[in-house]
Amino acid sequence: MRNYRKKVLFDHEAISSRVEELAAEISARHPEGEILLIGILKGAFMFMADLVRRLSVPCEVDFVKISSYGSGTASSGKLNILLDTSIPVEGRAVILVDDIVDSGLTLNEYRQALEARSPRSIETIALIDKTGRREKHVHLDYCGFRIEEGFVVGYGLDCNEFGRQTGDIYVLEDIGS
Ligand code: IMP
Ligand code: MG
């Protein structure tokens, strides 16, 4: 059993101002609004809540639940759609909202599943782009922060379901067993 220590990586002020900028970018690119934001549960719930409150254009909100992780800090490499959209995506300007991109499997595969349903457009946004373990190419139209590696928790992101509730984002530092 390894032990971890939490260290603040992005505090809530930094997150808040970045989310504000991202919302402004999205609003500027979609002046007509009518975007459908699809958040990937559970990790994106807090990011989504803050993001939509800062958009200056009308939007619809939906959520999907996809699991690519079992438990712990490593990817299982399998994608299960546990809950799908309830709003039809055909003809819509969709923005897929995720908390963090790691291997890229989740966003890459779910994006393909959505493309098959003929949306007008698909864009992707992730609060954090973790680049070091990418297996599938993922194009991010909007990205909050970029990190190379490390396991992060807080602001919706969990470690074995705990740690989602903080306003700050922490990185877990391995301090041995
Ligand atoms: P991917 O399919 O490997 O890109 O994994 C994406 C999903 O894994 C994210 O949406 C998160 O839910 C989870 N994940 C990946 N890295 C982390 C992390 O550092 N902390 C918490 N969850 C993570
Ligand atoms: Mg997730």
Side-chain angles (χ1 to χ4, degrees), residues 40-44 66 98-100 106 157:
I40 302 182
L41 293 172
K42 301 173 206 170
I66 300 164
D98 207 355
D99 52 355
I100 184 166
T106 309
L157 291 125

Side-chain angles (χ1 to χ4, degrees), residues 60-113:
E60 292 175 293
V61 174
D62 207 347
F63 285 99
V64 296
K65 190 155 190 255
I66 300 164
S67 81
S68 71
Y69 272 53
S71 59
T73 59
S75 174
S76 67
K78 269 186 284 173
L79 189 77
N80 296 315
I81 299 178
L82 306 172
L83 170 75
D84 215 336
T85 48
S86 57
I87 300 176
V89 302
E90 190 179 340
R92 317 303 271 271
V94 169
I95 304 182
L96 260 180
V97 183
D98 207 355
D99 52 355
I100 184 166
V101 183
D102 184 12
S103 70
L105 287 170
T106 309
L107 258 191
N108 184 287
E109 292 195 24
Y110 191 67
R111 190 197 169 112
Q112 283 179 32

